[in-house]
Amino acid sequence: QVQLVESGGGLVQTGGSLRVSCVASGRFSIVRMGWFRQAPGKEREFVAAVTWPAGSTNYADSVKGRFTIFRDIAKTAMSLQMNTLKPEDTANYYCAAANRRVGDYDYWGQGTQVTVSS
């Protein structure tokens, strides 16, 4: 069983920065980890992802150039550095992990709230 625990998030003003982090524990063979977000009344959307072992990254168009995903190979952990935050970035951010290189993610965290005030 894999557990994903997020940390970070909080309240920040428009233009500010925040970092959210996620650590995986348990028995696993994770090859992808990603961040998704869900705002009230909206569907969950992809934000960013990183692969193991290559470290390839990809981002949603809405966050390119503002968000950066990092990974910690030793801990099977990752972080999302969010800069130049906008009110539309307000959402609950979820960490996800996958055993396969394509397809759905297999494991999900509980989420951490990010609120950007205007």
Side-chain angles (χ1 to χ4, degrees), residues 21-24 28 33 50-52 69-79:
S21 298
C22 176
V23 178
F28 49 77
M33 291 186 77
V50 61
T51 67
W52 267 259
I69 191 167
F70 298 94
R71 62 179 185 149
D72 183 337
I73 297 175
K75 297 180 181 179
T76 313
M78 64 169 180
S79 295

Side-chain angles (χ1 to χ4, degrees), residues 2 26-32 52 76 97-101 106-107:
V2 175
R27 301 183 65 178
F28 49 77
S29 178
I30 291 173
V31 295
R32 271 186 300 154
W52 267 259
T76 313
N99 296 323
R100 299 154 294 173
R101 300 205 177 276
D106 302 291
Y107 310 104

Side-chain angles (χ1 to χ4, degrees), residues 54-96:
S56 300
T57 59
N58 65 304
Y59 298 90
D61 288 343
S62 58
V63 306
K64 281 181 181 176
R66 300 189 298 122
F67 290 12
T68 305
I69 191 167
F70 298 94
R71 62 179 185 149
D72 183 337
I73 297 175
K75 297 180 181 179
T76 313
M78 64 169 180
S79 295
L80 184 69
Q81 178 66 39
M82 303 179 288
N83 299 327
T84 320
L85 283 160
K86 305 174 182 179
E88 50 264 43
D89 294 317
T90 295
N92 206 1
Y93 283 70
Y94 295 91
C95 170

